Amino acid sequence: MSKPAAAHGVHALLTKASLCEQLKISERTIENMVRHGVFPPPVRIGKYVYWSETAVVKWQELRFTAQNAWMEKLEQW
C-alpha cells in the first residue's frame, strides 16, 4: 500500500491559473495579495510559478479562523 504524496514530503503544486480557478479570483488579485504579503509567495521553476497546495490550505485555514470559530460557537447554542 503506498502512502499519499504529502506523506513523502511531496505536495501537489498549483499553477497560477489553477489557483485562480480554485479561489475564484483573478491573476492580478493573486499578484497583488502576494506583493502585499497577505498570500504565500510562489516558487519559480523555470518561467512558471507554483504554489504548494499545503501552503494554500494553511492560508485558507488562517484566513477563515474567525468564521470557523463563530460557526463552532453557533453549534454550541
Side-chain angles (χ1 to χ4, degrees), residues 35-46:
R35 185 175 2 204
H36 289 86
V38 296
F39 195 78
V43 173
R44 181 170 292 281
I45 301 175

Side-chain angles (χ1 to χ4, degrees), residues 6-66:
H8 295 289
V10 178
H11 306 279
L13 298 178
L14 301 170
T15 64
K16 188 183 288 187
S18 65
L19 179 61
C20 290
E21 174 142 346
Q22 179 179 329
L23 297 178
K24 306 293 189 233
I25 58 178
S26 71
E27 290 189 9
R28 180 63 59 100
T29 298
I30 289 288
E31 293 164 0
N32 288 334
M33 290 169 62
V34 168
R35 185 175 2 204
H36 289 86
V38 296
F39 195 78
V43 173
R44 181 170 292 281
I45 301 175
K47 64 179 184 176
Y48 299 100
V49 294
Y50 298 94
W51 283 263
S52 161
E53 187 174 42
T54 304
V56 174
V57 168
K58 183 66 175 174
W59 173 82
Q60 287 175 311
E61 289 171 355
L62 291 171
R63 188 76 175 168
F64 288 93
T65 299

